[in-house]
Amino acid sequence: MPPTTATRPRRLKVFVQGQVVIPDWVDDLDSFCQWRLSEDAPQKGELAFLDTGIWVDLSMEEFLTHNQVKAAYDFAIMSVVQPAALGRYVPDRMLLRNAEANLSTEPDGLFFSWETMRSGRLRLVEKQGLGFMELDGTPDLVLEIVSKTSVEKDTVLLRDLYWKAGIAEYWLVDAREAKLSFEILQVTRRGYKVTAAVHGWLPSKVLGKRFRLQKKVDPLGHPQFVVASADSQ
């Protein structure tokens, strides 16, 4: 017989490369979020609660195919969002929690409209003395840039959990190979559906624009990524 709740042993502490210690009392979403926002949690690296497990990634961010791709999307999305006052775009390093999906993670980027915040679908969570440290609920759009260590997390685990969270669009980008991959996934009742490209452009219902990822060459001969936007047809 499995142990009862009263007699079930606590999970052992988890030590990751001697740098991250996940306490034994962290065993569900609430306890993870409590620990993640505490002074005991590490300030570097990626830690996420992904429904049935905790994801830890201490690898450094690659410059060209991750950092600079992320910067290109940040610029493109903010260039659309701010002039039209559509809402707020949030770059990476902001915690997102969603109880329905049993999820706590830091997307590479996310967007929420003013109406989403007013309706209560998403709310700011304040930590005493430190300001707003977490978003709780369902934003309108999330962005993930795939890296060498995040393939399973971004393409499988988060694809399922972001859908369960009811996020309308999931932008999934992989610029590591010669052939670029940029998908806008639209939420449906049965999961995410890949948006069809029209002449290389992907329409976003959330932002009301079309987008395209391009790879060029900078003056030093390195890849340079540009995200273009255009009015929807």
Side-chain angles (χ1 to χ4, degrees):
M1 293 179 60
T4 64
T5 303
T7 62
R8 185 176 60 214
R10 303 194 73 167
R11 182 184 58 76
L12 296 175
K13 292 181 181 178
V14 178
F15 296 82
V16 183
Q17 298 179 359
Q19 300 179 51
V20 178
V21 179
I22 303 175
D24 57 0
W25 52 266
V26 175
D27 57 6
D28 60 11
L29 180 61
D30 288 338
S31 58
F32 176 84
C33 292
Q34 179 183 347
W35 169 71
R36 192 69 183 88
L37 290 172
S38 72
E39 295 180 355
D40 296 329
Q43 300 303 309
K44 296 181 179 179
E46 182 179 0
L47 296 96
F49 191 91
L50 306 179
D51 188 22
T52 59
I54 296 174
W55 183 279
V56 180
D57 187 352
L58 301 181
S59 60
M60 296 290 290
E61 185 174 89
E62 202 282 324
F63 176 64
L64 292 174
T65 62
H66 196 276
N67 176 276
Q68 292 298 285
V69 176
K70 185 167 54 179
Y73 276 91
D74 289 349
F75 178 79
I77 295 175
M78 292 187 74
S79 296
V80 170
V81 168
Q82 290 188 343
L86 298 178
R88 190 181 292 275
Y89 177 71
V90 183
D92 69 342
R93 302 300 297 168
M94 175 54 62
L95 286 168
L96 171 65
R97 169 186 172 136
N98 185 280
E100 286 72 19
N102 205 27
L103 167 69
S104 175
T105 189
E106 298 177 24
D108 283 326
L110 67 84
F111 164 77
F112 62 82
S113 68
W114 303 125
E115 179 56 32
T116 291
M117 191 64 74
R118 291 191 189 103
S119 69
R121 280 170 51 83
L122 187 69
R123 66 185 184 90
L124 296 169
V125 178
E126 188 171 11
K127 184 179 178 184
Q128 187 174 6
L130 294 176
F132 296 110
M133 302 296 292
E134 184 182 40
L135 294 171
D136 187 0
T138 303
D140 299 276
L141 179 157
V142 286
L143 166 71
E144 296 289 355
I145 313 298
V146 177
S147 64
K148 180 180 178 180
T149 58
S150 73
V151 177
E152 180 183 4
K153 176 176 69 70
D154 294 341
T155 64
V156 179
L157 301 176
L158 285 177
R159 180 171 178 152
D160 179 58
L161 293 174
Y162 284 154
W163 170 72
K164 289 179 179 177
I167 299 173
E169 286 187 0
Y170 179 20
W171 290 27
L172 184 60
V173 183
D174 191 343
R176 296 174 299 149
E177 305 296 337
K179 183 178 180 180
L180 303 179
S181 175
F182 170 31
E183 294 180 325
I184 293 182
L185 307 176
Q186 299 280 351
V187 72
T188 73
R189 291 184 178 181
R190 297 184 178 182
Y192 277 121
K193 179 181 178 182
V194 177
T195 301
V198 180
H199 303 301
W201 292 86
L202 291 173
S204 168
K205 293 181 180 179
V206 168
L207 298 181
K209 296 281 187 177
R210 296 177 294 151
F211 293 85
R212 180 171 62 186
L213 173 63
Q214 299 171 296
K215 180 165 69 173
K216 300 182 179 182
V217 178
D218 72 13
L220 299 179
H222 297 301
Q224 184 170 15
F225 298 94
V226 176
V227 179
S229 65
D231 291 336
S232 296
Q233 293 180 328

